[in-house]
Amino acid sequence: MAPSGKRPVGNADRLSDLPDGLIHSIMAFLTAREAVQTCVLSRRWEDLWCSMPCLDIDERQFHVIGSRAYYEVWDDMSEDEDDIDSASLEEFVNNLLMFHSAPRLDRFRFHVASSHGNTKFVNSWIRRGVKRCPKVVEIHSTDGCKLPHLGGSSSSRLNRLHLTGITLDKTFTQQLRSTCPVLDDLELRRCRLDGHTEIVSFTLNKLTIVDCTTNNPSALTIKAPSLTYLQLVITALDRNWQAVVVNQMTRLNKATICLKDSTAMLPCKLLSSLMFAEDLQLTGLRTLANLHIGSGTFPVFCSVRILLLDKCDLSDSCDILGNFLNNAPYLEKLTLQQCKLPECSKKSKAGGNVERTSLQCQETPSFQCLRLKRTEIKYDEDDDVQKLFDLLLGIWRNLQKSTIVIKKASRSYSMM
């Protein structure tokens, strides 16, 4: 028989004996609905969810029976709002925010594919969550929900702000500058920005802007001198922005730039801002040409160790590539992935003269990049391996120390 007043050893509930802080840390891995459901575990757990510092509200847990599972991909933009039990979602979130008593949040995460005809409720939920002064805010929407103003104490602790599919009014960038003193990580995906877009922050360490649009085309300006990571993906540059201007970032470690679906050549003035990056990735057929417009002389990339050119246009006798290699003295690895190469790499299928093509390729500019150790060429099915070899023999004749690897599907060819 167990001692009086003590639980039998076999029924010990050690988890419930933990202090509230540790249990809240465990609950941080749960969505809000899962956390609330822990109230049935024991009397000890009845009210713990009311004071947990993390709220993760995910409408995908309210799919009707027989529809898709809620844990499907976060970025799935095709969710059908008819699959959601909107009445249960509305009741749950209203009660959650009514009875949740933590004065401050460490994280507020909200995923809603649609307002289900009630935008007022959804915007209210977001506003009430942001008012709890969270350190982290992550909001995903496909219905253009609005971000409330970040003024006052609500953004004084804000360290990470990730927004997807959110409509941002013309005061948003001003709020970033004046009311977010410790913001370190900003991510905007498929957001709609109104008015002039000038992102200014002296604390930002990481900035991601992917497929954002504007209803008032103007210059996209970025002034964030402390950035160590920059990802910039712009669709239809000429229809959304009149120009892209980024101030110099001396602490930049990695940068990924992609300009896609652009029909016009617009000034970006980005090259000189990227010269301190150690890992540089440039993607898009017109990206290289756009980056160089308005930049004046080609800058020296004194810190670049890794350079990836993905689906870029190098058909200008590799002049732009030559500029990169001649001005990247510490480059160690170069990757050309599905790039458009000079025509001499695609003539064998027409039965051209191999020796003549090789001589033509020998006339291409020579590059000086003495520290380059490895070059990878990942090519399309339409390209000819032999002609790629001929081209490379001409271009890399001064780069004998570089190992050149040519890859197609699962096959690879190495040239020492």
mmCIF file of all heavy atoms in Angstrom, residues 31 49 83 211 256 271 294 319 346 365 378 382 391 403 416:
data_model
loop_
_atom_site.group_PDB
_atom_site.id
_atom_site.type_symbol
_atom_site.label_atom_id
_atom_site.label_comp_id
_atom_site.label_asym_id
_atom_site.label_seq_id
_atom_site.Cartn_x
_atom_site.Cartn_y
_atom_site.Cartn_z
ATOM 1 N N THR A 31 0.128 24.216 -31.315
ATOM 2 C CA THR A 31 -0.748 25.281 -31.787
ATOM 3 C C THR A 31 -1.684 25.661 -30.639
ATOM 4 O O THR A 31 -1.801 24.938 -29.644
ATOM 5 C CB THR A 31 -1.566 24.824 -32.999
ATOM 6 O OG1 THR A 31 -2.440 23.764 -32.595
ATOM 7 C CG2 THR A 31 -0.663 24.356 -34.124
ATOM 8 N N TRP A 49 -2.998 27.027 -20.150
ATOM 9 C CA TRP A 49 -2.992 27.635 -21.478
ATOM 10 C C TRP A 49 -3.335 29.133 -21.423
ATOM 11 O O TRP A 49 -2.962 29.895 -22.317
ATOM 12 C CB TRP A 49 -3.986 26.912 -22.398
ATOM 13 C CG TRP A 49 -5.421 27.047 -21.970
ATOM 14 C CD1 TRP A 49 -6.115 26.211 -21.158
ATOM 15 C CD2 TRP A 49 -6.324 28.099 -22.334
ATOM 16 N NE1 TRP A 49 -7.397 26.662 -20.980
ATOM 17 C CE2 TRP A 49 -7.560 27.814 -21.705
ATOM 18 C CE3 TRP A 49 -6.229 29.228 -23.129
ATOM 19 C CZ2 TRP A 49 -8.674 28.645 -21.843
ATOM 20 C CZ3 TRP A 49 -7.340 30.050 -23.280
ATOM 21 C CH2 TRP A 49 -8.554 29.749 -22.640
ATOM 22 N N ASP A 83 -13.542 24.591 -47.175
ATOM 23 C CA ASP A 83 -13.139 23.452 -46.363
ATOM 24 C C ASP A 83 -13.042 23.806 -44.887
ATOM 25 O O ASP A 83 -12.825 22.926 -44.055
ATOM 26 C CB ASP A 83 -11.772 22.917 -46.837
ATOM 27 C CG ASP A 83 -11.879 22.214 -48.186
ATOM 28 O OD1 ASP A 83 -13.008 21.865 -48.568
ATOM 29 O OD2 ASP A 83 -10.841 22.023 -48.839
ATOM 30 N N ASP A 211 8.346 38.664 -53.966
ATOM 31 C CA ASP A 211 7.117 38.802 -54.753
ATOM 32 C C ASP A 211 6.122 39.795 -54.154
ATOM 33 O O ASP A 211 4.906 39.562 -54.175
ATOM 34 C CB ASP A 211 6.438 37.435 -54.936
ATOM 35 C CG ASP A 211 7.260 36.506 -55.811
ATOM 36 O OD1 ASP A 211 8.070 37.015 -56.609
ATOM 37 O OD2 ASP A 211 7.105 35.275 -55.702
ATOM 38 N N THR A 256 20.874 37.023 -51.902
ATOM 39 C CA THR A 256 20.214 36.324 -53.002
ATOM 40 C C THR A 256 19.325 37.328 -53.717
ATOM 41 O O THR A 256 18.404 37.887 -53.113
ATOM 42 C CB THR A 256 19.358 35.150 -52.485
ATOM 43 O OG1 THR A 256 20.201 34.214 -51.804
ATOM 44 C CG2 THR A 256 18.666 34.435 -53.637
ATOM 45 N N LEU A 271 24.745 46.481 -57.489
ATOM 46 C CA LEU A 271 26.038 45.806 -57.474
ATOM 47 C C LEU A 271 26.975 46.337 -56.399
ATOM 48 O O LEU A 271 27.571 45.582 -55.644
ATOM 49 C CB LEU A 271 26.705 45.917 -58.850
ATOM 50 C CG LEU A 271 26.254 44.890 -59.891
ATOM 51 C CD1 LEU A 271 27.068 45.036 -61.155
ATOM 52 C CD2 LEU A 271 26.351 43.477 -59.357
ATOM 53 N N GLY A 294 23.114 51.814 -64.160
ATOM 54 C CA GLY A 294 23.194 52.902 -63.195
ATOM 55 C C GLY A 294 24.272 52.725 -62.155
ATOM 56 O O GLY A 294 24.391 53.537 -61.240
ATOM 57 N N ASP A 319 31.001 38.761 -71.138
ATOM 58 C CA ASP A 319 31.577 40.012 -70.638
ATOM 59 C C ASP A 319 31.232 40.246 -69.174
ATOM 60 O O ASP A 319 32.089 40.631 -68.371
ATOM 61 C CB ASP A 319 31.091 41.193 -71.485
ATOM 62 C CG ASP A 319 31.770 41.228 -72.854
ATOM 63 O OD1 ASP A 319 32.797 40.546 -72.998
ATOM 64 O OD2 ASP A 319 31.259 41.928 -73.743
ATOM 65 N N LYS A 346 26.236 25.765 -78.578
ATOM 66 C CA LYS A 346 25.031 25.071 -79.001
ATOM 67 C C LYS A 346 25.013 24.766 -80.508
ATOM 68 O O LYS A 346 23.964 24.705 -81.112
ATOM 69 C CB LYS A 346 23.797 25.918 -78.663
ATOM 70 C CG LYS A 346 23.605 26.147 -77.180
ATOM 71 C CD LYS A 346 22.313 26.864 -76.921
ATOM 72 C CE LYS A 346 22.083 27.056 -75.435
ATOM 73 N NZ LYS A 346 20.804 27.715 -75.153
ATOM 74 N N PRO A 365 37.131 36.573 -73.855
ATOM 75 C CA PRO A 365 38.035 37.249 -72.922
ATOM 76 C C PRO A 365 38.610 36.288 -71.891
ATOM 77 O O PRO A 365 37.940 35.355 -71.445
ATOM 78 C CB PRO A 365 37.127 38.296 -72.254
ATOM 79 C CG PRO A 365 35.982 38.470 -73.188
ATOM 80 C CD PRO A 365 35.785 37.152 -73.844
ATOM 81 N N LYS A 378 26.007 23.639 -64.540
ATOM 82 C CA LYS A 378 24.800 22.807 -64.581
ATOM 83 C C LYS A 378 23.974 23.277 -65.768
ATOM 84 O O LYS A 378 23.478 24.397 -65.775
ATOM 85 C CB LYS A 378 24.027 22.947 -63.267
ATOM 86 C CG LYS A 378 24.836 22.510 -62.050
ATOM 87 C CD LYS A 378 24.064 22.677 -60.752
ATOM 88 C CE LYS A 378 24.908 22.269 -59.560
ATOM 89 N NZ LYS A 378 24.176 22.430 -58.271
ATOM 90 N N ASP A 382 19.318 20.895 -73.776
ATOM 91 C CA ASP A 382 19.591 21.336 -75.139
ATOM 92 C C ASP A 382 21.063 21.655 -75.375
ATOM 93 O O ASP A 382 21.488 21.786 -76.523
ATOM 94 C CB ASP A 382 18.760 22.576 -75.473
ATOM 95 C CG ASP A 382 17.278 22.267 -75.519
ATOM 96 O OD1 ASP A 382 16.941 21.095 -75.768
ATOM 97 O OD2 ASP A 382 16.473 23.189 -75.308
ATOM 98 N N LEU A 391 34.216 25.719 -75.074
ATOM 99 C CA LEU A 391 34.033 27.068 -74.561
ATOM 100 C C LEU A 391 34.888 27.308 -73.328
ATOM 101 O O LEU A 391 35.573 28.324 -73.200
ATOM 102 C CB LEU A 391 32.558 27.297 -74.232
ATOM 103 C CG LEU A 391 32.212 28.635 -73.575
ATOM 104 C CD1 LEU A 391 32.417 29.771 -74.558
ATOM 105 C CD2 LEU A 391 30.778 28.615 -73.069
ATOM 106 N N THR A 403 39.164 23.385 -60.654
ATOM 107 C CA THR A 403 38.520 22.149 -61.093
ATOM 108 C C THR A 403 37.161 22.512 -61.675
ATOM 109 O O THR A 403 36.354 23.160 -61.020
ATOM 110 C CB THR A 403 38.333 21.176 -59.916
ATOM 111 O OG1 THR A 403 39.617 20.808 -59.404
ATOM 112 C CG2 THR A 403 37.587 19.924 -60.367
ATOM 113 N N MET A 416 40.272 18.922 -64.747
ATOM 114 C CA MET A 416 41.230 19.396 -63.763
ATOM 115 C C MET A 416 42.172 20.439 -64.382
ATOM 116 O O MET A 416 42.566 20.282 -65.532
ATOM 117 C CB MET A 416 42.054 18.241 -63.197
ATOM 118 C CG MET A 416 41.184 17.157 -62.538
ATOM 119 S SD MET A 416 40.276 17.752 -61.099
ATOM 120 C CE MET A 416 41.625 18.036 -59.962
#
